[in-house]
Amino acid sequence: MRETEHTGVSLPAAAFACKGGWSLDTQFTESVGSPYLLAHGLGVPVVDAQTEAALPSAGRWRVWVRTRNWVPGVADPPGRFRVLIDGRPLAPVFGVAPDAWEWVDGGVVETAATRVRVTLRDLTGFDGRCAGVAFMRGDRPPVSAAAWADGETDARRHTFDLVVTGGGIAGTCAALAAARQGLKVALLHDRPVLGGNASQEIRVWCGGEARHPLVREVRNRFMNREIGAALSDRMRMRLVQDETNVTLYGGWRACGVERTPEHDRIAAVTARQTETGEPARFAAPLFVDATGDGWIGYWAGADYRMGREAAAEFGESMAPAEADRMTLGCSLMWTSMAANTEVPFGPLPWAEPAAQGVVATQGEWNWEYGLDRDVIAEGEAIRDHLLRVIYGSFSLAKRDPQHADRVLDFVPFNLGKRESRRLLGDVILTENDVRDRTPFHDAVATGTWSIDLHERAGGADFLTMCRQPLFGRYWIPWRALYSRNVKNLLMAGRCFSATHVGLGSPRVMNTTGQMGVAVGCAAALCLRHALEPQALAADPVRVAELQASIGGEFPGHPDPAQAGWTVIDDADAEQVLFQGNWKQGLHENGDHVGSGFRYAEQGGTDTWAAYTLPVRQAGMHCIRLTWNVYWDGRARAVPVSIRHARGTLRVTVDMRQGSGLWHDLATVALIPGIPAEVRIETEGTDGVVVADAVAIERIGDT
Ligand SMILES: Cc1cc2nc3c(=O)[nH]c(=O)nc-3n(C[C@H](O)[C@H](O)[C@H](O)COP(=O)(O)OP(=O)(O)OC[C@H]3O[C@@H](n4cnc5c(N)ncnc54)[C@H](O)[C@@H]3O)c2cc1C
């Protein structure tokens, strides 16, 4: 609660003590001026929000409500709500005007006491919104856009080794990787759950090659729109809470930076608690921007781009002839479900025209809008358009008696974004780096996803289609993960240094997670050796040290973890015999050895894969097997037999677990001249069986 101009009291809606069923929407803070409360009830009015206001004195007060009509130009706008003072409704219904955020006059109230109860009462369940309520002595509304950031108190000051802003998959991995290297890390995140697009709030599946064990721990294990994302959120939150070197500032939104006197470095990130507006200052020698929208870089004056490059600029065949402001669009993926009774919904005259004839009970990634709009400045309008088309198309579907029992189940209000600002590093990753798999000497992460660009599908303005050429594993250099002009700024996630086309692949979240691991490890090295990110890039010894601390194979550096192993891949025709019906698999999760893998959908005695083991020297050998998990259809109990010098050993493996990992099967004696084999069998299995690669490692004498 804050005084405005000493003439009144202003209550930010975000600070309401009891929010009831209203959701706290933080994503448009910069354009709206504050977070706000949203009555996102999917057509069912949400429970009242309530708080108490302490007025300087009793008497006559003019009440102002900061709100807007989110569907301009319709007869009966949907976002209607009332404001009650001590249980008595103010005369106006709010949410019907104006079209842009403003203080709306609620009339005069006479209060007998200095403490009054303020209630927000939703009337529709259709996304009414309120940013604040103010009590003013005169006839003028508060000067400030929102009370949230008024009444400046001294910012609390914190100092860390590293400040990571944005707790999506990239930021969470960055914070944990740095913490595991011993750094004291602050993780600032504006939502109550970690994971960004992968969280239960948006529910995007994590694609691309995970590669690093930390990414596997952090990622969403479920497919698009599945409620299981909530389980992954809990596991991710537990990881962060258990990591003593990470201090999580959940519900804190960064709102600016302080720069050093030379203006080429960040001294501190400033942030506000999303409910109370309480300010704080986070100082550190290094900062990671993992906000997706490149906010930290933007405030710090980092070079950035937004939009598409012309084809000629980097010689990109998939880029347009002329540069423009187009980006990938935003989505709200949604679902409905069957209730065990009829559930009325609609008709919604304010929404149905927006559906443009599309009748639907669910929507996937291709419900995408805003490719030609400014994803940051116009984010709220993009989100609102998508809400309107979802409600409209569902309302049309509900006219059909076969959908009488369908009810909206999941419609996010947090916008799923794919692309906005891209901060520029010393290298800008382009289409050609993905296509040609440029073997960067300073590679620190890999990608395997296709270059996944979208365009309008034609017809309705919210449907897109994609082009997805696939090029295999490529490399992301360290020089694309720090700012070229803000000396102590690292980036991870979709705001890293790439062209529009170059970003089309590495924007997927197992890859952004790898970027997080890389910047976390790099931050530790920079501090240990007193190097700035650019200086680290210039020192081949330090680059090699960085690659070693990340682990795994990089161009010119074989994976030390696998040194001494002999790997037999499904593609090694002379050593692997496939019997029965095996298909060739290549999926973009990339969790496979070599160029692909085989899989059998139907089990049977005559369907098996036999890997002949090359034995060069007698001894005890550790036998390992790797497979990948793409969805729950993998077989749970797959029989594997290991023929060795002293007989045959049988084990079973669960192919729903441990995607892309090497699993120890057994340690056995192998002797040259005595046949040795690993056979993956399928008889009696309850799902898809994968045959990818077997590894043997000699670990001692027999
Ligand atoms: C519909 C859809 C389908 C997609 N399909 C796939 C797919 O199948 N597989 C895949 O892997 N990827 C997919 N993507 C792409 C992927 O989800 C994005 O590229 C993702 O955003 C990248 O993760 P990130 O960590 O960089 O950013 P985000 O997930 O956006 O995380 C950034 C986080 O930072 C927080 N934040 C922002 N600003 C601030 C601030 N000022 N202060 C504090 N916190 C802040 C945000 O709340 C957000 O949670 C899809 C995207 C969409 C929208």
Side-chain angles (χ1 to χ4, degrees):
M1 190 170 343
R2 304 190 171 93
E3 281 192 34
T4 38
E5 290 191 321
H6 310 289
T7 57
V9 168
S10 195
L11 313 167
F16 268 43
C18 166
K19 297 192 175 54
W22 293 67
S23 304
L24 182 62
D25 192 334
T26 55
Q27 63 197 312
F28 310 120
T29 299
E30 289 71 24
S31 53
V32 174
S34 71
Y36 59 83
L37 290 186
L38 182 74
H40 188 58
L42 308 185
V44 179
V46 303
V47 172
D48 293 352
Q50 237 170 46
T51 202
E52 213 174 63
L55 304 174
S57 58
R60 279 171 64 83
W61 292 95
R62 186 170 288 280
V63 184
W64 296 87
V65 177
R66 191 163 173 80
T67 185
R68 62 171 293 219
N69 168 16
W70 72 276
V71 187
V74 297
D76 214 3
R80 299 187 302 281
F81 66 97
R82 282 195 175 278
V83 176
L84 288 70
I85 308 298
D86 281 338
R88 284 190 301 278
L90 298 175
V93 168
F94 296 95
V96 294
D99 295 347
W101 283 96
E102 271 180 36
W103 289 105
V104 175
D105 189 351
V108 171
V109 293
E110 192 79 43
T111 65
T114 54
R115 299 197 84 83
V116 292
R117 190 160 30 93
V118 182
T119 304
L120 302 183
R121 178 156 300 161
D122 175 30
L123 299 178
T124 65
F126 281 122
D127 304 285
R129 54 202 71 183
C130 176
V133 177
F135 292 78
M136 303 297 285
R137 279 291 188 209
D139 283 342
R140 293 226 303 276
V143 175
S144 152
W148 185 67
D150 289 350
E152 207 58 52
T153 52
D154 271 352
R156 201 169 291 173
R157 301 168 94 81
H158 305 279
T159 302
F160 287 88
D161 295 328
L162 181 70
V163 174
V164 178
T165 307
I169 298 299
T172 306
C173 285
L176 286 170
R180 289 178 185 185
Q181 299 279 330
L183 301 197
K184 296 287 181 200
V185 183
L187 175 56
L188 312 186
H189 184 55
D190 63 346
R191 301 301 307 162
V193 290
L194 293 165
N197 275 3
S199 74
Q200 62 190 289
E201 295 196 310
I202 302 177
R203 301 188 192 171
V204 179
W205 172 67
C206 287
E209 179 177 48
R211 186 177 147 106
H212 197 280
L214 177 54
V215 181
R216 291 200 179 92
E217 287 179 83
V218 167
R219 68 183 171 181
N220 176 15
R221 292 145 209 255
F222 297 86
M223 301 303 287
N224 279 349
R225 303 179 300 171
E226 285 189 8
I227 179 62
L231 181 65
S232 292
D233 286 356
R234 287 206 293 279
M235 294 164 81
R236 189 177 306 121
M237 184 61 85
R238 172 60 51 210
L239 275 178
V240 170
Q241 286 176 339
D242 285 351
E243 176 50 70
T244 50
N245 280 343
V246 176
T247 306
L248 172 63
Y249 291 85
W252 282 79
R253 186 163 174 98
C255 53
V257 302
E258 290 172 13
R259 289 192 280 179
T260 56
E262 304 77 34
H263 275 211
D264 60 353
R265 288 175 181 76
I266 299 171
V269 165
T270 53
R272 287 186 184 275
Q273 213 285 333
T274 50
E275 297 191 14
T276 62
E278 174 196 342
R281 178 186 186 276
F282 297 86
L286 287 169
F287 298 85
V288 176
D289 189 336
T291 61
D293 287 338
W295 278 114
I296 304 302
Y298 174 73
W299 289 317
D303 294 338
Y304 75 94
R305 289 182 174 208
M306 208 165 150
R308 303 191 297 182
E309 287 78 9
E313 184 176 358
F314 293 98
E316 294 177 309
S317 66
M318 294 172 73
E322 302 286 337
D324 59 30
R325 298 282 296 165
M326 299 271 290
T327 58
L328 293 174
C330 304
S331 298
L332 301 176
M333 297 191 292
W334 63 286
T335 57
S336 66
M337 63 192 285
N340 59 9
T341 181
E342 281 194 15
V343 184
F345 188 92
L348 304 178
W350 53 270
E352 287 172 10
Q356 299 153 67
V358 175
V359 181
T361 56
Q362 52 95 30
E364 249 288 348
W365 64 266
N366 62 328
W367 285 54
E368 179 180 3
Y369 179 68
L371 290 80
D372 55 355
R373 301 187 69 166
D374 184 329
V375 169
I376 293 177
E378 299 180 273
E380 192 186 22
I382 294 170
R383 191 275 310 268
D384 288 347
H385 183 68
L386 286 166
L387 285 178
R388 204 170 159 193
V389 300
I390 290 168
Y391 298 143
S393 64
F394 187 64
S395 173
L396 292 173
K398 288 287 287 182
R399 292 181 183 178
D400 184 339
Q402 70 160 323
H403 296 314
D405 66 344
R406 287 212 83 76
V407 59
L408 284 176
D409 169 33
F410 172 63
V411 180
F413 65 88
N414 280 294
L415 200 50
K417 291 183 186 170
R418 295 177 173 86
E419 177 185 354
S420 54
R421 297 187 189 105
R422 293 170 275 114
L423 306 177
L424 301 184
D426 278 337
V427 169
I428 301 175
L429 192 90
T430 70
E431 169 190 331
N432 295 322
D433 296 319
V434 176
R435 188 183 281 278
D436 303 340
R437 307 189 215 173
T438 307
F440 292 109
H441 74 277
D442 59 339
V444 287
T446 57
T448 49
W449 194 260
S450 56
I451 294 188
D452 188 352
L453 300 181
H454 301 183
E455 57 196 75
R456 289 269 310 277
D461 66 5
F462 57 89
L463 294 179
T464 62
M465 50 189 252
C466 62
R467 289 183 282 162
Q468 287 194 293
L470 190 58
F471 301 105
R473 178 178 290 121
Y474 60 91
W475 307 98
I476 295 169
W478 164 237
R479 286 164 295 162
L481 300 181
Y482 61 80
S483 164
R484 68 187 184 191
N485 64 317
V486 177
K487 304 289 182 205
N488 59 349
L489 176 61
L490 314 175
M491 28 308 164
R494 61 184 162 82
C495 56
F496 91 110
S497 178
T499 61
H500 163 78
V501 179
L503 180 68
S505 171
R507 65 191 174 83
V508 294
M509 292 177 284
N510 288 333
T511 304
T512 63
Q514 283 194 53
M515 294 181 207
V517 170
V519 299
C521 292
L525 272 186
C526 285
L527 295 189
R528 194 174 309 142
H529 298 298
L531 286 174
E532 289 200 324
Q534 215 160 21
L536 192 158
D539 183 340
V541 175
R542 295 296 172 225
V543 168
E545 194 179 345
L546 172 57
Q547 290 169 329
S549 74
I550 295 166
E553 178 194 350
F554 292 106
H557 301 278
D559 183 351
Q562 289 184 24
W565 298 11
T566 303
V567 176
I568 308 116
D569 186 36
D570 63 288
D572 296 333
E574 286 174 12
Q575 281 173 271
V576 190
L577 179 63
F578 286 96
Q579 175 71 39
N581 190 9
W582 291 85
K583 293 183 178 163
Q584 181 68 47
L586 172 72
H587 76 65
E588 298 178 299
N589 225 12
D591 279 347
H592 53 73
V593 171
S595 57
F597 60 96
R598 308 283 180 103
Y599 63 98
E601 290 169 320
Q602 297 288 328
T605 47
D606 54 355
T607 301
W608 44 260
Y611 292 67
T612 301
L613 306 182
V615 188
R616 295 191 187 88
Q617 188 186 354
M620 297 305 291
H621 288 72
C622 182
I623 314 290
R624 298 182 177 94
L625 182 66
T626 184
W627 59 82
N628 57 59
V629 184
Y630 181 49
W631 59 298
D632 285 348
R634 291 282 187 261
R636 264 179 297 223
V638 178
V640 180
S641 60
I642 303 139
R643 191 168 165 204
H644 54 97
R646 295 177 186 141
T648 298
L649 194 71
R650 292 183 199 287
V651 296
T652 53
V653 298
D654 179 356
M655 289 195 171
R656 291 194 183 182
Q657 309 287 337
S659 185
L661 301 178
W662 284 103
H663 300 265
D664 290 1
L665 294 183
T667 298
V668 293
L670 300 180
I671 296 172
I674 301 182
E677 175 189 275
V678 168
R679 183 176 294 222
I680 302 170
E681 294 164 6
T682 66
E683 189 188 1
T685 51
D686 60 352
V688 173
V689 175
V690 171
D692 184 4
V694 171
I696 64 171
E697 180 190 13
R698 188 179 181 282
I699 55 171
D701 295 333
T702 51

